[in-house]
mmCIF file of all heavy atoms in Angstrom:
data_model
loop_
_atom_site.group_PDB
_atom_site.id
_atom_site.type_symbol
_atom_site.label_atom_id
_atom_site.label_comp_id
_atom_site.label_asym_id
_atom_site.label_seq_id
_atom_site.Cartn_x
_atom_site.Cartn_y
_atom_site.Cartn_z
ATOM 1 N N ASN A 1061 -1.568 20.528 -7.482
ATOM 2 C CA ASN A 1061 -2.109 19.722 -8.545
ATOM 3 C C ASN A 1061 -2.375 18.316 -8.019
ATOM 4 O O ASN A 1061 -1.517 17.666 -7.413
ATOM 5 C CB ASN A 1061 -0.984 19.489 -9.573
ATOM 6 C CG ASN A 1061 -1.292 18.589 -10.774
ATOM 7 O OD1 ASN A 1061 -2.434 18.191 -10.778
ATOM 8 N ND2 ASN A 1061 -0.465 18.410 -11.677
ATOM 9 N N PRO A 1062 -3.742 17.997 -8.009
ATOM 10 C CA PRO A 1062 -4.272 16.832 -7.371
ATOM 11 C C PRO A 1062 -3.733 15.533 -8.005
ATOM 12 O O PRO A 1062 -3.620 14.478 -7.454
ATOM 13 C CB PRO A 1062 -5.722 16.802 -7.454
ATOM 14 C CG PRO A 1062 -5.939 17.702 -8.732
ATOM 15 C CD PRO A 1062 -4.892 18.679 -8.710
ATOM 16 N N THR A 1063 -3.252 15.659 -9.206
ATOM 17 C CA THR A 1063 -2.536 14.493 -9.902
ATOM 18 C C THR A 1063 -1.140 14.449 -9.898
ATOM 19 O O THR A 1063 -0.371 13.660 -10.578
ATOM 20 C CB THR A 1063 -3.072 14.389 -11.403
ATOM 21 O OG1 THR A 1063 -2.794 15.589 -12.125
ATOM 22 C CG2 THR A 1063 -4.641 14.205 -11.336
ATOM 23 N N ALA A 1064 -0.491 15.400 -9.030
ATOM 24 C CA ALA A 1064 1.054 15.385 -8.950
ATOM 25 C C ALA A 1064 1.289 14.025 -8.159
ATOM 26 O O ALA A 1064 0.805 13.883 -7.063
ATOM 27 C CB ALA A 1064 1.483 16.587 -8.136
ATOM 28 N N THR A 1065 2.035 13.228 -8.672
ATOM 29 C CA THR A 1065 2.281 11.925 -8.001
ATOM 30 C C THR A 1065 3.508 11.998 -6.926
ATOM 31 O O THR A 1065 4.417 12.869 -7.014
ATOM 32 C CB THR A 1065 2.692 10.757 -9.038
ATOM 33 O OG1 THR A 1065 3.892 11.241 -9.758
ATOM 34 C CG2 THR A 1065 1.583 10.639 -10.090
ATOM 35 N N ARG A 1066 3.190 11.073 -6.018
ATOM 36 C CA ARG A 1066 4.277 10.881 -5.038
ATOM 37 C C ARG A 1066 4.594 9.370 -4.851
ATOM 38 O O ARG A 1066 3.806 8.581 -5.322
ATOM 39 C CB ARG A 1066 3.825 11.429 -3.560
ATOM 40 C CG ARG A 1066 4.003 12.901 -3.527
ATOM 41 C CD ARG A 1066 2.813 13.462 -2.660
ATOM 42 N NE ARG A 1066 1.599 13.571 -3.429
ATOM 43 C CZ ARG A 1066 0.474 14.005 -2.902
ATOM 44 N NH1 ARG A 1066 0.344 14.480 -1.722
ATOM 45 N NH2 ARG A 1066 -0.521 14.112 -3.707
ATOM 46 N N THR A 1067 5.682 9.066 -4.344
ATOM 47 C CA THR A 1067 6.068 7.589 -4.209
ATOM 48 C C THR A 1067 6.316 7.340 -2.688
ATOM 49 O O THR A 1067 7.133 8.127 -2.024
ATOM 50 C CB THR A 1067 7.291 7.242 -4.961
ATOM 51 O OG1 THR A 1067 7.032 7.575 -6.440
ATOM 52 C CG2 THR A 1067 7.695 5.860 -4.820
ATOM 53 N N THR A 1068 5.729 6.307 -2.220
ATOM 54 C CA THR A 1068 5.784 5.994 -0.813
ATOM 55 C C THR A 1068 6.340 4.497 -0.699
ATOM 56 O O THR A 1068 5.746 3.650 -1.358
ATOM 57 C CB THR A 1068 4.407 6.027 -0.119
ATOM 58 O OG1 THR A 1068 4.042 7.499 -0.143
ATOM 59 C CG2 THR A 1068 4.402 5.633 1.295
ATOM 60 N N PRO A 1069 7.183 4.349 0.180
ATOM 61 C CA PRO A 1069 7.698 2.878 0.448
ATOM 62 C C PRO A 1069 6.484 2.099 1.090
ATOM 63 O O PRO A 1069 5.791 2.557 1.954
ATOM 64 C CB PRO A 1069 8.823 2.996 1.403
ATOM 65 C CG PRO A 1069 9.308 4.343 1.370
ATOM 66 C CD PRO A 1069 8.013 5.168 0.958
ATOM 67 N N PHE A 1070 6.320 0.889 0.611
ATOM 68 C CA PHE A 1070 5.302 0.007 1.201
ATOM 69 C C PHE A 1070 5.867 -1.378 1.167
ATOM 70 O O PHE A 1070 5.958 -2.074 0.157
ATOM 71 C CB PHE A 1070 3.944 -0.063 0.310
ATOM 72 C CG PHE A 1070 2.831 -0.626 0.944
ATOM 73 C CD1 PHE A 1070 2.078 0.137 1.931
ATOM 74 C CD2 PHE A 1070 2.383 -1.776 0.747
ATOM 75 C CE1 PHE A 1070 1.017 -0.396 2.646
ATOM 76 C CE2 PHE A 1070 1.272 -2.431 1.237
ATOM 77 C CZ PHE A 1070 0.535 -1.734 2.357
ATOM 78 N N GLY A 1071 6.366 -1.867 2.339
ATOM 79 C CA GLY A 1071 7.172 -3.138 2.362
ATOM 80 C C GLY A 1071 8.410 -2.772 1.497
ATOM 81 O O GLY A 1071 9.050 -1.796 1.738
ATOM 82 N N HIS A 1072 8.687 -3.747 0.742
ATOM 83 C CA HIS A 1072 9.989 -3.529 -0.244
ATOM 84 C C HIS A 1072 9.533 -2.917 -1.545
ATOM 85 O O HIS A 1072 10.349 -2.768 -2.348
ATOM 86 C CB HIS A 1072 10.717 -4.895 -0.444
ATOM 87 C CG HIS A 1072 9.916 -5.952 -1.108
ATOM 88 N ND1 HIS A 1072 8.946 -6.632 -0.577
ATOM 89 C CD2 HIS A 1072 9.895 -6.268 -2.446
ATOM 90 C CE1 HIS A 1072 8.425 -7.642 -1.554
ATOM 91 N NE2 HIS A 1072 8.954 -7.229 -2.678
ATOM 92 N N LEU A 1073 8.277 -2.560 -1.658
ATOM 93 C CA LEU A 1073 7.826 -1.926 -2.963
ATOM 94 C C LEU A 1073 7.795 -0.309 -2.956
ATOM 95 O O LEU A 1073 7.813 0.118 -1.681
ATOM 96 C CB LEU A 1073 6.446 -2.394 -3.256
ATOM 97 C CG LEU A 1073 6.115 -3.798 -3.487
ATOM 98 C CD1 LEU A 1073 4.616 -4.147 -3.773
ATOM 99 C CD2 LEU A 1073 7.054 -4.454 -4.570
ATOM 100 N N ALA A 1074 7.939 0.258 -3.959
ATOM 101 C CA ALA A 1074 7.713 1.704 -4.126
ATOM 102 C C ALA A 1074 6.382 1.938 -4.712
ATOM 103 O O ALA A 1074 6.150 1.619 -5.922
ATOM 104 C CB ALA A 1074 8.951 2.279 -4.851
ATOM 105 N N ILE A 1075 5.436 2.632 -4.032
ATOM 106 C CA ILE A 1075 4.057 2.752 -4.501
ATOM 107 C C ILE A 1075 3.745 4.236 -4.984
ATOM 108 O O ILE A 1075 4.022 5.178 -4.082
ATOM 109 C CB ILE A 1075 3.053 2.345 -3.542
ATOM 110 C CG1 ILE A 1075 3.176 0.816 -3.208
ATOM 111 C CG2 ILE A 1075 1.619 2.584 -4.000
ATOM 112 C CD1 ILE A 1075 2.888 -0.054 -4.378
ATOM 113 N N THR A 1076 3.343 4.396 -6.229
ATOM 114 C CA THR A 1076 3.117 5.884 -6.633
ATOM 115 C C THR A 1076 1.662 6.000 -6.609
ATOM 116 O O THR A 1076 0.767 5.132 -6.755
ATOM 117 C CB THR A 1076 3.512 5.825 -8.189
ATOM 118 O OG1 THR A 1076 4.924 5.737 -8.237
ATOM 119 C CG2 THR A 1076 3.062 7.188 -8.809
ATOM 120 N N TRP A 1077 1.346 7.264 -6.097
ATOM 121 C CA TRP A 1077 -0.121 7.526 -5.705
ATOM 122 C C TRP A 1077 -0.218 9.169 -5.922
ATOM 123 O O TRP A 1077 0.792 9.842 -6.063
ATOM 124 C CB TRP A 1077 -0.462 7.157 -4.360
ATOM 125 C CG TRP A 1077 0.332 7.815 -3.228
ATOM 126 C CD1 TRP A 1077 1.587 7.521 -2.810
ATOM 127 C CD2 TRP A 1077 -0.043 8.981 -2.494
ATOM 128 N NE1 TRP A 1077 2.006 8.411 -1.820
ATOM 129 C CE2 TRP A 1077 1.009 9.262 -1.574
ATOM 130 C CE3 TRP A 1077 -1.234 9.790 -2.401
ATOM 131 C CZ2 TRP A 1077 1.052 10.295 -0.728
ATOM 132 C CZ3 TRP A 1077 -1.168 10.816 -1.496
ATOM 133 C CH2 TRP A 1077 -0.141 10.938 -0.596
ATOM 134 N N ASP A 1078 -1.441 9.484 -5.882
ATOM 135 C CA ASP A 1078 -1.749 10.984 -5.794
ATOM 136 C C ASP A 1078 -2.860 11.279 -5.073
ATOM 137 O O ASP A 1078 -3.570 10.401 -4.478
ATOM 138 C CB ASP A 1078 -1.867 11.569 -7.398
ATOM 139 C CG ASP A 1078 -2.856 10.922 -8.179
ATOM 140 O OD1 ASP A 1078 -4.058 10.692 -7.666
ATOM 141 O OD2 ASP A 1078 -2.658 10.611 -9.329
ATOM 142 N N ASP A 1079 -3.425 12.595 -5.132
ATOM 143 C CA ASP A 1079 -4.418 12.868 -4.129
ATOM 144 C C ASP A 1079 -5.909 12.358 -4.629
ATOM 145 O O ASP A 1079 -6.873 12.583 -3.846
ATOM 146 C CB ASP A 1079 -4.537 14.379 -4.145
ATOM 147 C CG ASP A 1079 -3.450 15.049 -3.282
ATOM 148 O OD1 ASP A 1079 -2.720 14.304 -2.526
ATOM 149 O OD2 ASP A 1079 -3.177 16.222 -3.369
ATOM 150 N N ARG A 1080 -5.915 11.687 -5.651
ATOM 151 C CA ARG A 1080 -7.209 11.052 -6.001
ATOM 152 C C ARG A 1080 -7.498 9.799 -5.353
ATOM 153 O O ARG A 1080 -8.596 9.318 -5.352
ATOM 154 C CB ARG A 1080 -7.140 10.758 -7.578
ATOM 155 C CG ARG A 1080 -7.137 12.049 -8.524
ATOM 156 C CD ARG A 1080 -6.936 11.690 -9.949
ATOM 157 N NE ARG A 1080 -5.753 10.948 -10.139
ATOM 158 C CZ ARG A 1080 -5.457 10.281 -11.232
ATOM 159 N NH1 ARG A 1080 -6.358 10.410 -12.273
ATOM 160 N NH2 ARG A 1080 -4.356 9.587 -11.377
ATOM 161 N N VAL A 1081 -6.493 9.221 -4.707
ATOM 162 C CA VAL A 1081 -6.666 8.042 -4.023
ATOM 163 C C VAL A 1081 -6.028 8.248 -2.495
ATOM 164 O O VAL A 1081 -5.458 9.161 -2.181
ATOM 165 C CB VAL A 1081 -5.904 6.705 -4.599
ATOM 166 C CG1 VAL A 1081 -6.525 6.439 -6.025
ATOM 167 C CG2 VAL A 1081 -4.489 7.015 -4.649
ATOM 168 N N LEU A 1082 -6.362 7.336 -1.683
ATOM 169 C CA LEU A 1082 -5.893 7.328 -0.351
ATOM 170 C C LEU A 1082 -4.334 7.023 -0.217
ATOM 171 O O LEU A 1082 -3.914 6.137 -0.890
ATOM 172 C CB LEU A 1082 -6.552 6.233 0.591
ATOM 173 C CG LEU A 1082 -6.540 6.442 2.105
ATOM 174 C CD1 LEU A 1082 -7.286 7.682 2.609
ATOM 175 C CD2 LEU A 1082 -7.240 5.220 2.736
ATOM 176 N N GLU A 1083 -3.727 7.980 0.503
ATOM 177 C CA GLU A 1083 -2.250 7.740 0.696
ATOM 178 C C GLU A 1083 -1.954 6.330 1.343
ATOM 179 O O GLU A 1083 -2.675 5.955 2.352
ATOM 180 C CB GLU A 1083 -1.660 8.770 1.602
ATOM 181 C CG GLU A 1083 -0.258 8.648 1.926
ATOM 182 C CD GLU A 1083 0.347 9.669 2.754
ATOM 183 O OE1 GLU A 1083 -0.347 10.599 3.242
ATOM 184 O OE2 GLU A 1083 1.520 9.626 3.109
ATOM 185 N N PRO A 1084 -1.060 5.581 0.859
ATOM 186 C CA PRO A 1084 -0.769 4.215 1.440
ATOM 187 C C PRO A 1084 -0.341 4.451 2.905
ATOM 188 O O PRO A 1084 0.503 5.247 3.174
ATOM 189 C CB PRO A 1084 0.401 3.679 0.566
ATOM 190 C CG PRO A 1084 0.224 4.317 -0.800
ATOM 191 C CD PRO A 1084 -0.295 5.764 -0.419
ATOM 192 N N ARG A 1085 -0.990 3.606 3.762
ATOM 193 C CA ARG A 1085 -0.741 3.530 5.104
ATOM 194 C C ARG A 1085 0.291 2.499 5.534
ATOM 195 O O ARG A 1085 0.015 1.367 5.241
ATOM 196 C CB ARG A 1085 -1.928 3.539 6.056
ATOM 197 C CG ARG A 1085 -2.679 4.776 6.445
ATOM 198 C CD ARG A 1085 -3.069 5.676 5.297
ATOM 199 N NE ARG A 1085 -3.978 6.677 5.754
ATOM 200 C CZ ARG A 1085 -4.246 7.776 5.119
ATOM 201 N NH1 ARG A 1085 -3.854 7.901 3.966
ATOM 202 N NH2 ARG A 1085 -5.145 8.682 5.661
ATOM 203 N N SER A 1086 1.284 2.841 6.231
ATOM 204 C CA SER A 1086 2.313 1.770 6.547
ATOM 205 C C SER A 1086 1.753 0.678 7.414
ATOM 206 O O SER A 1086 2.257 -0.545 7.175
ATOM 207 C CB SER A 1086 3.638 2.417 7.218
ATOM 208 O OG SER A 1086 3.289 3.054 8.405
ATOM 209 N N TRP A 1087 0.796 0.973 8.251
ATOM 210 C CA TRP A 1087 0.339 -0.062 9.094
ATOM 211 C C TRP A 1087 -0.398 -1.272 8.289
ATOM 212 O O TRP A 1087 -0.467 -2.339 8.789
ATOM 213 C CB TRP A 1087 -0.602 0.453 10.198
ATOM 214 C CG TRP A 1087 -1.984 0.718 9.783
ATOM 215 C CD1 TRP A 1087 -2.465 2.090 9.373
ATOM 216 C CD2 TRP A 1087 -3.106 -0.104 9.763
ATOM 217 N NE1 TRP A 1087 -3.794 1.912 9.068
ATOM 218 C CE2 TRP A 1087 -4.297 0.638 9.330
ATOM 219 C CE3 TRP A 1087 -3.387 -1.394 10.094
ATOM 220 C CZ2 TRP A 1087 -5.438 0.216 9.248
ATOM 221 C CZ3 TRP A 1087 -4.657 -1.973 9.941
ATOM 222 C CH2 TRP A 1087 -5.823 -1.151 9.437
ATOM 223 N N THR A 1088 -0.892 -0.834 7.072
ATOM 224 C CA THR A 1088 -1.690 -1.796 6.272
ATOM 225 C C THR A 1088 -0.696 -2.837 5.588
ATOM 226 O O THR A 1088 -1.259 -3.772 5.059
ATOM 227 C CB THR A 1088 -2.590 -1.119 5.315
ATOM 228 O OG1 THR A 1088 -1.736 -0.408 4.375
ATOM 229 C CG2 THR A 1088 -3.579 -0.270 6.012
ATOM 230 N N GLU A 1089 0.677 -2.567 5.760
ATOM 231 C CA GLU A 1089 1.580 -3.624 5.262
ATOM 232 C C GLU A 1089 1.180 -5.074 6.010
ATOM 233 O O GLU A 1089 1.404 -6.094 5.474
ATOM 234 C CB GLU A 1089 2.997 -3.286 5.508
ATOM 235 C CG GLU A 1089 3.436 -2.092 4.705
ATOM 236 C CD GLU A 1089 4.829 -1.620 5.088
ATOM 237 O OE1 GLU A 1089 5.556 -2.463 5.771
ATOM 238 O OE2 GLU A 1089 5.197 -0.557 4.745
ATOM 239 N N ALA A 1090 0.648 -4.866 7.215
ATOM 240 C CA ALA A 1090 0.362 -6.143 7.998
ATOM 241 C C ALA A 1090 -0.850 -6.961 7.276
ATOM 242 O O ALA A 1090 -0.826 -8.097 7.430
ATOM 243 C CB ALA A 1090 -0.053 -5.629 9.443
ATOM 244 N N GLN A 1091 -1.709 -6.230 6.588
ATOM 245 C CA GLN A 1091 -2.680 -6.993 5.829
ATOM 246 C C GLN A 1091 -2.077 -7.714 4.729
ATOM 247 O O GLN A 1091 -2.410 -8.869 4.460
ATOM 248 C CB GLN A 1091 -3.658 -5.877 5.256
ATOM 249 C CG GLN A 1091 -4.959 -6.577 4.647
ATOM 250 C CD GLN A 1091 -6.036 -5.623 4.285
ATOM 251 O OE1 GLN A 1091 -5.838 -4.333 4.357
ATOM 252 N NE2 GLN A 1091 -7.161 -6.007 3.969
ATOM 253 N N SER A 1092 -1.166 -7.107 4.037
ATOM 254 C CA SER A 1092 -0.473 -7.914 2.957
ATOM 255 C C SER A 1092 0.390 -9.199 3.616
ATOM 256 O O SER A 1092 0.271 -10.259 3.024
ATOM 257 C CB SER A 1092 0.593 -6.998 2.201
ATOM 258 O OG SER A 1092 0.016 -5.906 1.631
ATOM 259 N N THR A 1093 1.047 -8.858 4.736
ATOM 260 C CA THR A 1093 1.882 -10.032 5.230
ATOM 261 C C THR A 1093 0.925 -11.122 5.697
ATOM 262 O O THR A 1093 1.199 -12.260 5.552
ATOM 263 C CB THR A 1093 2.551 -9.397 6.579
ATOM 264 O OG1 THR A 1093 3.509 -8.307 6.035
ATOM 265 C CG2 THR A 1093 3.425 -10.485 7.059
ATOM 266 N N TRP A 1094 -0.207 -10.742 6.401
ATOM 267 C CA TRP A 1094 -1.108 -11.911 6.749
ATOM 268 C C TRP A 1094 -1.720 -12.511 5.605
ATOM 269 O O TRP A 1094 -1.791 -13.840 5.579
ATOM 270 C CB TRP A 1094 -2.300 -11.155 7.586
ATOM 271 C CG TRP A 1094 -3.112 -12.084 8.438
ATOM 272 C CD1 TRP A 1094 -2.913 -13.468 8.519
ATOM 273 C CD2 TRP A 1094 -4.181 -11.776 9.303
ATOM 274 N NE1 TRP A 1094 -3.841 -13.943 9.463
ATOM 275 C CE2 TRP A 1094 -4.553 -12.984 9.879
ATOM 276 C CE3 TRP A 1094 -4.785 -10.510 9.591
ATOM 277 C CZ2 TRP A 1094 -5.754 -12.996 10.872
ATOM 278 C CZ3 TRP A 1094 -5.811 -10.600 10.489
ATOM 279 C CH2 TRP A 1094 -6.266 -11.778 11.208
ATOM 280 N N ALA A 1095 -2.069 -11.913 4.572
ATOM 281 C CA ALA A 1095 -2.677 -12.500 3.321
ATOM 282 C C ALA A 1095 -1.706 -13.377 2.708
ATOM 283 O O ALA A 1095 -1.930 -14.586 2.344
ATOM 284 C CB ALA A 1095 -3.102 -11.464 2.354
ATOM 285 N N ALA A 1096 -0.310 -13.016 2.702
ATOM 286 C CA ALA A 1096 0.708 -13.907 2.084
ATOM 287 C C ALA A 1096 0.891 -15.116 2.972
ATOM 288 O O ALA A 1096 1.159 -16.254 2.403
ATOM 289 C CB ALA A 1096 1.986 -13.046 2.153
ATOM 290 N N GLU A 1097 0.797 -14.961 4.319
ATOM 291 C CA GLU A 1097 0.987 -16.205 5.226
ATOM 292 C C GLU A 1097 -0.258 -17.121 4.977
ATOM 293 O O GLU A 1097 0.011 -18.389 4.798
ATOM 294 C CB GLU A 1097 0.847 -15.610 6.624
ATOM 295 C CG GLU A 1097 2.142 -14.857 7.162
ATOM 296 C CD GLU A 1097 1.901 -14.286 8.442
ATOM 297 O OE1 GLU A 1097 0.778 -14.331 9.044
ATOM 298 O OE2 GLU A 1097 2.912 -13.711 9.052
ATOM 299 N N LEU A 1098 -1.393 -16.601 4.766
ATOM 300 C CA LEU A 1098 -2.663 -17.429 4.385
ATOM 301 C C LEU A 1098 -2.510 -18.188 3.100
ATOM 302 O O LEU A 1098 -2.959 -19.295 2.904
ATOM 303 C CB LEU A 1098 -3.921 -16.627 4.423
ATOM 304 C CG LEU A 1098 -4.284 -16.056 5.748
ATOM 305 C CD1 LEU A 1098 -5.485 -15.114 5.592
ATOM 306 C CD2 LEU A 1098 -4.647 -17.234 6.707
ATOM 307 N N LEU A 1099 -1.759 -17.570 2.108
ATOM 308 C CA LEU A 1099 -1.590 -18.200 0.750
ATOM 309 C C LEU A 1099 -0.730 -19.344 0.870
ATOM 310 O O LEU A 1099 -0.826 -20.272 0.018
ATOM 311 C CB LEU A 1099 -0.953 -17.143 -0.093
ATOM 312 C CG LEU A 1099 -1.886 -16.196 -0.782
ATOM 313 C CD1 LEU A 1099 -1.069 -15.057 -1.471
ATOM 314 C CD2 LEU A 1099 -2.906 -16.829 -1.721
ATOM 315 N N THR A 1100 0.222 -19.629 1.955
ATOM 316 C CA THR A 1100 1.093 -20.764 2.009
ATOM 317 C C THR A 1100 0.219 -22.007 2.093
ATOM 318 O O THR A 1100 0.613 -23.074 1.637
ATOM 319 C CB THR A 1100 2.043 -20.531 3.052
ATOM 320 O OG1 THR A 1100 1.329 -20.542 4.326
ATOM 321 C CG2 THR A 1100 2.895 -19.318 2.822
ATOM 322 N N GLY A 1101 -0.827 -21.939 2.739
ATOM 323 C CA GLY A 1101 -1.629 -23.122 2.854
ATOM 324 C C GLY A 1101 -3.008 -23.158 2.161
ATOM 325 O O GLY A 1101 -3.883 -23.925 2.326
ATOM 326 N N ALA A 1102 -3.231 -22.092 1.201
ATOM 327 C CA ALA A 1102 -4.484 -21.944 0.456
ATOM 328 C C ALA A 1102 -4.588 -22.735 -0.644
ATOM 329 O O ALA A 1102 -3.559 -23.204 -1.240
ATOM 330 C CB ALA A 1102 -4.584 -20.388 0.151
ATOM 331 N N PRO A 1103 -5.718 -23.062 -1.211
ATOM 332 C CA PRO A 1103 -5.966 -23.796 -2.470
ATOM 333 C C PRO A 1103 -5.331 -22.941 -3.660
ATOM 334 O O PRO A 1103 -5.009 -21.799 -3.423
ATOM 335 C CB PRO A 1103 -7.428 -23.825 -2.601
ATOM 336 C CG PRO A 1103 -7.986 -23.615 -1.178
ATOM 337 C CD PRO A 1103 -7.035 -22.619 -0.515
#
């Protein structure tokens, strides 16, 4: 069933996804971390 959901840890979050979208990749947590660092000095 392509819409059968799964849950994947992503940082400290639990992300639900299914085969209609790309499975969350753990390495991309680094993108969130970098963006959060940039926010500390952002407008």
Side-chain angles (χ1 to χ4, degrees):
N1061 180 357
T1063 58
T1065 58
R1066 279 145 283 179
T1067 301
T1068 296
F1070 194 80
H1072 65 280
L1073 302 181
I1075 298 297
T1076 296
W1077 60 283
D1078 60 41
D1079 288 344
R1080 297 173 298 170
V1081 299
L1082 196 65
E1083 178 181 0
R1085 269 56 168 169
S1086 60
W1087 78 267
T1088 62
E1089 293 173 20
Q1091 188 172 9
S1092 302
T1093 302
W1094 197 359
E1097 291 170 356
L1098 293 169
L1099 279 170
T1100 61

